[in-house]
């Protein structure tokens, strides 16, 4: 059936009052109407804290000219201005980011500007965090590999390609087992998965194999990423190539425990092994003799 004009006006008023977006009207540069969402957005106590206030006082100085140009176009064309990002200022001086749109309304022969404002501060902060995370992912020197809960590879960074020799397209959807060197037994990986399951974290040195077939050592850290219910959604692996470091360790060990000329074990290695044997005998209660 038909809806009478009084009911429609009540409906329109309720929409404005209950709207989640801030809605305001300004005329000749001063606020003439604000809805409850506007009062809350600007940190006011009541609408009277805002009514009559110059609209530019609520806008960051960097955006004054932009807003003035939009108001001028609105009056000239009568067409709605598209929603754009602007920066506003609360009554306490706090700055915040918004999306704002406006259009002209003629009420009682006066040209008003009808403005809707949506606070996007949280969205902008989230976007900034995402950009930072993307930058770290792209530019870090450590290899990064992201897998699903089933361990299939979902993404890798440029450092992963540099270290392993595999391109991103070559490994997407594959299991990390393609990097296996064959040097670790089932017990090693069982302990890794047990740690990930119980603690959500695992870190150790591991030998893997590049695309070229060369075996290399890496320091690998894997973290489980869970949803709100605690279910694992992803695994994030961060690793660095420590092959040169391991080679240096082996060289130092060789120099310390073996004679440089003959390659035979030195007295230092003998003493080290004897100390280990004595400690083992003390624990087990089984003794031996050295001749």
């Amino acid at each position: 059936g038909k809806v009478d004009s009084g009911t429609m006006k009540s409906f329109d008023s309720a929409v404005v009052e209950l709207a989640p977006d801030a809605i305001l009207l300004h005329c000749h540069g001063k606020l003439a109407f604000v809805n409850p969402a506007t009062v809350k957005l600007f940190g006011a106590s009541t609408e009277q804290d805002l009514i009559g206030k110059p609209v530019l006082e609520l806008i960051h100085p960097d955006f004054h000219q932009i807003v003035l140009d939009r108001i001028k176009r609105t009056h000239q064309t009568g067409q709605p201005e598209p929603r754009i990002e602007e920066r506003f200022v609360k009554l306490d001086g706090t700055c915040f980011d918004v999306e704002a749109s406006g259009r002209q309304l003629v009420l009682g022969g006066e040209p008003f500007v009808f403005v809707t404002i949506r606070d996007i501060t949280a969205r902008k902060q989230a976007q900034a965090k995402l950009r930072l995370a993307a930058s770290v992912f792209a530019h870090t020197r450590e290899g990064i590999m992201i897998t699903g809960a089933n361990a299939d590879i979902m993404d890798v960074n440029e450092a992963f390609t540099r270290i392993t020799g595999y391109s991103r397209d070559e490994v997407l959807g594959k299991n990390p087992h393609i990097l296996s060197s064959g040097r670790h037994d089932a017990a090693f990986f069982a302990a890794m998965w047990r740690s990930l399951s119980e603690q959500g974290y695992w870190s150790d040195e591991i030998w893997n194999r590049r695309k070229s077939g060369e075996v290399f050592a890496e320091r690998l850290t894997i973290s489980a990423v869970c949803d709100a219910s605690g279910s694992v959604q992803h695994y994030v692996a961060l690793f660095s190539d420590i092959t040169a470091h391991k080679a240096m360790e082996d060289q130092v060990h060789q120099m310390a425990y073996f004679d440089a000329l003959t390659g035979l074990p030195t007295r230092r290695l003998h003493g080290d092994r004897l100390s280990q044997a004595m400690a083992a005998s003390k624990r087990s209660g089984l003794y031996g003799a050295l001749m």
Side-chain angles (χ1 to χ4, degrees):
K2 294 182 178 180
V3 180
D4 61 70
S5 59
T7 302
M8 284 301 300
K9 288 181 179 179
S10 298
F11 176 75
D12 292 343
S13 177
V15 169
V16 172
E17 293 294 315
L18 298 175
D21 288 349
I23 296 174
L24 58 89
L25 287 172
H26 61 82
C27 182
H28 303 304
K30 293 186 177 181
L31 292 177
F33 168 83
V34 295
N35 71 338
T38 304
V39 175
K40 181 179 179 181
L41 181 63
F42 286 96
S45 299
T46 67
E47 63 181 29
Q48 295 307 315
D49 294 334
L50 297 172
I51 298 300
K53 183 176 286 294
V55 69
L56 288 182
E57 286 189 12
L58 302 176
I59 299 170
H60 192 280
D62 290 349
F63 289 86
H64 279 186
Q65 193 57 51
I66 294 173
V67 171
L68 289 172
D69 291 343
R70 281 164 64 83
I71 293 173
K72 182 178 179 180
R73 286 195 302 270
T74 297
H75 289 318
Q76 289 176 341
T77 67
Q79 298 298 315
E81 281 293 307
R83 187 176 291 272
I84 67 168
E85 292 185 7
E86 299 175 6
R87 177 159 290 185
F88 277 46
V89 183
K90 296 180 184 289
L91 294 185
D92 64 4
T94 303
C95 296
F96 63 104
D97 296 305
V98 304
E99 279 185 346
S101 63
R103 66 174 303 161
Q104 184 184 40
L105 289 178
V106 178
L107 302 173
E110 290 289 345
F112 287 79
V113 178
F114 175 85
V115 182
T116 61
I117 303 169
R118 180 173 300 168
D119 187 350
I120 60 169
T121 305
R123 190 182 81 189
K124 295 279 284 186
Q125 291 173 345
Q127 289 173 343
K129 289 181 180 179
L130 287 174
R131 285 194 296 270
L132 177 60
S135 178
V136 171
F137 184 79
H139 299 110
T140 184
R141 295 289 297 172
E142 285 74 26
I144 300 176
M145 176 174 61
I146 300 173
T147 76
N150 62 355
D152 288 345
I153 298 173
M154 298 178 62
D155 206 357
V156 297
N157 67 344
E158 182 62 30
F160 175 96
T161 295
R162 174 175 50 79
I163 295 172
T164 68
Y166 286 99
S167 69
R168 181 174 181 273
D169 290 341
E170 288 177 311
V171 298
L172 290 185
K174 302 291 180 59
N175 189 282
H177 186 70
I178 63 173
L179 301 173
S180 177
S181 67
R183 292 193 178 189
H184 303 284
D185 58 17
F188 178 88
F189 291 105
M192 180 189 77
W193 283 108
R194 185 164 57 251
S195 177
L196 284 171
S197 175
E198 296 174 357
Q199 304 174 31
Y201 175 86
W202 179 85
S203 182
D204 205 344
E205 293 179 2
I206 186 173
W207 289 90
N208 272 333
R209 190 179 301 276
R210 307 187 208 274
K211 182 181 179 181
S212 64
E214 176 191 4
V215 173
F216 70 102
E218 64 182 54
R219 163 58 67 176
L220 174 62
T221 298
I222 305 176
S223 299
V225 180
C226 300
D227 60 16
S229 67
S231 299
V232 174
Q233 298 295 298
H234 303 92
Y235 293 102
V236 178
L238 181 71
F239 64 93
S240 55
D241 188 342
I242 59 170
T243 308
H245 177 73
K246 296 291 288 184
M248 186 175 296
E249 282 185 347
D250 291 342
Q251 184 178 2
V252 170
H253 181 272
Q254 184 73 20
M255 293 171 64
Y257 291 112
F258 294 88
D259 181 75
L261 180 62
T262 65
L264 296 175
T266 61
R267 180 183 298 178
R268 184 174 179 181
L269 179 60
H270 167 75
D272 178 71
R273 295 295 186 270
L274 182 59
S275 297
Q276 292 181 30
M278 292 171 65
S281 294
K282 188 174 182 179
R283 288 193 301 270
S284 66
L286 300 175
Y287 294 89
L290 174 67
M291 180 173 65

